[in-house]
Amino acid sequence: MADVTASVLDALAASEGPILSTDAFPSIPSLTVKSALDRLASRSMVEYETIDREVVVLTEEGESIAANGSHEAKVFEAVAAAMEGLKISDLPNLVGKDVAKVGQGNAFKRGWIKKDKDVLRPNVDSIRDETREQLQAIKDTQTHPDSKVIADLKKRKLVTLQKAISFRIRKGPKFAREFVKEETDLTADMLASGAWKTVQLKPYNFRAKGAPAQSGALHPLNKVRQEFRSIFFEMGFEEMPTNRFVETGFWNFDALFVPQQHPARDLQDTFYIADPKTADPPRADPPNDPHLSRLASMPSSGGAPTQPKPVDFQEYWDNVRQVHETGKYGSIGYRYPWNPEEAKRLVLRTHTTSVSAYMLHKLAQDPRPARYFSIDRVFRNEAVDATHLAEFHQIEGVIADFGLALGGLIGFMEVFFGKMGIHKLRFKPAYNPYTEPSMEIFGYHDGLGKWVEIGNSGMFRSEMLEAMGLPPDMRVYGWGLSLERPTMIKYGVSNIRELLGHKVDLNFIETNPAVRLDKD
């Protein structure tokens, strides 16, 4: 930078008027020159104006023709050198396949050669290689007076147009031959030594406008997530801890009555941990977890609970095994040998229902009506498309109470989504290993013009609940909802990848008023 700055000052000092950067510094990149000019202009040592122009430059093929002649000239020379004429089939061997293909047609067009059956003969005594002359002229001047020539050469891909930037530079009101460094800070050493009297201090720019102030904005997913949390709290729910992204197969599958041969446990559907592959036998919850120990249940809204004998975790483990192998609590089971090692395999959790499972197991120690929810990330080994992601957010909720029925779950979903402004809902019977009856929940997407599945729900099976030690007369609603799909419906987004990942358009937040951050 210092060398270029000095070169600019030297060039201006030697000139009586303005100078052009292309003439004075032909080998220095324009960006380097501009940096030096900005530095000098900020001190009023120089003034400059930018000159934008379009120049014509030769392509690699154009450079070759300018140096060695055009394709048609090479073809003429080869034909003229053959005393008895040149067979058409021999031309590519002499000048090359590409040169023969292009040059032969152009030579015929200019009348330089003629065809006698399968033999080429010269049609003129001498030629003028205009293409080479035109390219040489463009190479020297970066332009051509005839625009038709430029258009023709561009069509033949022999030249291309590029933007060139140059500067017209003149002396400023504070022009000096030497560049004096300006100090930006007044230091204690300058005051102590008296150097502040002689140093050149950089003046403040009081006219600088600064960066434009912009109000903040929430990402649509965070905004809808906070709305969901507010609705849950308003409806009397308490948030569950979800800080375990890696789960055992026991909590993620086995405790939920999912058989070990279920397709969801295949590699193509689930991400398994490679190192370590398995865990120690699972515990009911992380030791010394103050958040789990403080979770309180809702006051009773139904009859008095039946207090069962608390089930320790080893007994719970054995109950789950028996439920899978031979059946229990009114179930005949899946009739297969349950493998404890499979239950200890580590996975990236495929749903937050694993969190609900160990929360319900803890609730079994003191059964009472309770409402829990969680919103966090889950992972599925799925192909990414307009409506599916491999990593997404799940909204999980459970309601435990006495005397619950399926109609209450439907009514709750209608109230819950109504608070979100989503009123078009449909419920479809479904199958889940851990709920019976089960329902898929669909919401209408105005942008896509179709119904989109946004969640799954049902009443937890007695095989799952009684194995934990919950009383037989306690019922539990359970549901899992996507965070992304209700957000798509709310904001009219047709592709889920516009909300998460590398295809996120940050302008979406600016252009969608519903996502703007409210003052309240």
Side-chain angles (χ1 to χ4, degrees):
M1 175 68 73
D3 292 339
V4 178
T5 303
S7 299
V8 171
L9 296 176
D10 290 342
L12 280 174
S15 175
E16 296 182 357
I19 61 173
L20 288 174
S21 61
T22 50
D23 296 336
F25 323 108
S27 60
I28 301 178
S30 59
L31 285 178
T32 304
V33 176
K34 187 178 187 306
S35 297
L37 293 178
D38 287 339
R39 191 179 184 190
L40 293 170
S42 67
R43 293 159 174 78
S44 300
M45 298 179 69
V46 303
E47 296 174 347
Y48 75 93
E49 58 182 302
T50 303
I51 304 172
D52 294 336
R53 63 191 182 97
E54 200 171 53
V55 298
V56 187
V57 296
L58 273 58
T59 64
E60 183 177 351
E61 185 180 3
E63 290 280 2
S64 176
I65 291 176
N68 306 310
S70 65
H71 300 329
E72 53 268 29
K74 292 179 180 179
V75 169
F76 175 79
E77 292 171 358
V79 173
M83 300 298 295
E84 301 297 330
L86 179 65
K87 287 187 176 182
I88 297 177
S89 58
D90 293 336
L91 182 61
N93 298 328
L94 294 175
V95 298
K97 184 177 179 180
D98 293 336
V99 173
K101 181 178 179 181
V102 177
Q104 182 175 305
N106 288 336
F108 276 125
K109 184 178 179 180
R110 286 168 170 74
W112 293 353
I113 62 175
K114 60 183 178 181
K115 185 168 67 172
D116 183 8
K117 296 182 180 180
D118 62 342
V119 175
L120 298 175
R121 301 185 188 280
N123 198 37
V124 294
D125 295 332
S126 61
I127 62 168
R128 177 186 173 188
D129 194 351
E130 294 181 352
T131 301
R132 182 179 186 180
E133 294 175 357
Q134 292 166 351
L135 290 172
Q136 189 61 54
I138 290 174
K139 184 177 181 180
D140 296 337
T141 62
Q142 293 189 320
T143 187
H144 195 278
D146 191 344
S147 60
K148 292 183 179 180
V149 170
I150 296 176
D152 179 62
L153 295 176
K154 184 180 178 184
K155 185 177 180 181
R156 295 171 60 182
K157 298 182 179 181
L158 301 179
V159 300
T160 184
L161 302 180
Q162 290 183 0
K163 184 179 179 181
I165 300 175
S166 60
F167 308 97
R168 182 177 285 108
I169 314 166
R170 61 179 62 86
K171 297 176 182 178
K174 295 183 180 180
F175 175 80
R177 185 64 181 267
E178 294 183 1
F179 180 82
V180 179
K181 180 182 178 183
E182 292 181 333
E183 299 291 341
T184 57
D185 295 312
L186 182 63
T187 65
D189 291 340
M190 292 180 187
L191 295 174
S193 64
W196 64 273
K197 299 178 182 179
T198 57
V199 297
Q200 185 79 19
L201 293 173
K202 185 177 181 179
Y204 284 106
N205 183 7
F206 293 103
R207 294 178 296 176
K209 296 180 180 180
Q214 295 182 351
S215 58
L218 287 175
H219 189 283
L221 282 177
N222 284 335
K223 186 175 179 67
V224 175
R225 176 175 180 164
Q226 187 57 42
E227 290 177 4
F228 272 117
R229 293 183 78 247
S230 299
I231 291 172
F232 274 119
F233 288 135
E234 176 188 337
M235 301 182 76
F237 284 76
E238 187 151 5
E239 193 164 15
M240 296 184 284
T242 55
N243 56 350
R244 287 166 33 168
F245 288 153
V246 176
E247 272 290 4
T248 59
F250 178 84
W251 285 117
N252 199 77
F253 297 117
D254 296 273
L256 301 175
F257 200 49
V258 178
Q260 293 182 344
Q261 299 87 359
H262 195 279
R265 301 177 77 149
D266 292 340
L267 286 173
Q268 61 264 29
D269 293 312
T270 300
F271 291 110
Y272 284 90
I273 305 302
D275 186 19
K277 291 184 177 181
T278 60
D280 295 334
R283 291 167 292 192
D285 52 56
N288 303 320
D289 190 332
H291 186 76
L292 282 176
S293 62
R294 74 167 179 80
L295 283 175
S297 300
M298 292 287 295
S300 177
S301 60
T306 302
Q307 292 289 344
K309 177 185 176 182
V311 176
D312 63 31
F313 193 71
Q314 184 59 49
E315 184 178 353
Y316 176 41
W317 177 274
D318 294 337
N319 285 344
V320 170
R321 178 173 192 157
Q322 187 174 351
V323 164
H324 280 256
E325 287 188 340
T326 61
K328 200 174 184 180
Y329 312 110
S331 167
I332 64 172
Y334 289 118
R335 306 297 180 93
Y336 73 95
W338 187 75
N339 183 2
E341 294 303 314
E342 183 69 22
K344 291 188 289 184
R345 291 185 68 182
L346 292 174
V347 302
L348 285 179
R349 66 182 180 209
T350 61
H351 47 202
T352 50
T353 315
S354 58
V355 180
S356 301
Y358 64 74
M359 288 304 302
L360 290 172
H361 178 261
K362 188 172 184 64
L363 182 66
Q365 300 174 18
D366 184 16
R368 65 183 67 181
R371 294 187 173 195
Y372 301 133
F373 84 94
S374 65
I375 306 174
D376 212 333
R377 292 191 178 186
V378 296
F379 310 88
R380 304 276 177 87
N381 194 358
E382 292 188 1
V384 176
D385 58 28
T387 57
H388 294 84
L389 291 173
E391 176 183 351
F392 57 96
H393 295 81
Q394 180 174 331
I395 303 164
E396 176 87 13
V398 295
I399 297 177
D401 208 335
F402 301 90
L404 298 180
L406 185 64
L409 176 59
I410 295 175
F412 174 83
M413 288 293 139
E414 290 174 342
V415 173
F416 181 83
F417 280 102
K419 291 178 179 290
M420 286 294 298
I422 301 174
H423 300 284
K424 297 179 181 179
L425 294 180
R426 283 181 179 175
F427 302 92
K428 176 184 175 182
Y431 166 76
N432 292 317
Y434 45 91
T435 58
E436 178 60 37
S438 307
M439 300 182 302
E440 292 177 345
I441 307 169
F442 290 80
Y444 189 76
H445 192 306
D446 291 320
L448 293 176
K450 66 178 182 179
W451 293 88
V452 178
E453 182 185 352
I454 56 176
N456 209 330
S457 64
M459 301 183 69
F460 282 117
R461 301 177 69 104
S462 58
E463 296 96 317
M464 171 187 164
L465 301 178
E466 292 186 49
M468 299 174 174
L470 287 168
D473 53 347
M474 174 167 274
R475 302 287 182 265
V476 179
Y477 294 151
W479 67 93
L481 311 173
S482 162
L483 176 64
E484 284 78 6
R485 291 187 184 178
T487 304
M488 293 169 66
I489 295 173
K490 185 175 179 66
Y491 294 114
V493 177
S494 60
N495 191 328
I496 196 171
R497 289 167 290 190
E498 295 177 11
L499 291 177
L500 198 67
H502 69 285
K503 290 191 175 183
V504 170
D505 183 4
L506 297 181
N507 292 325
F508 169 74
I509 297 176
E510 293 296 327
T511 56
N512 195 324
V515 193
R516 299 296 299 160
L517 180 61
D518 299 328
K519 292 182 179 180
D520 56 357

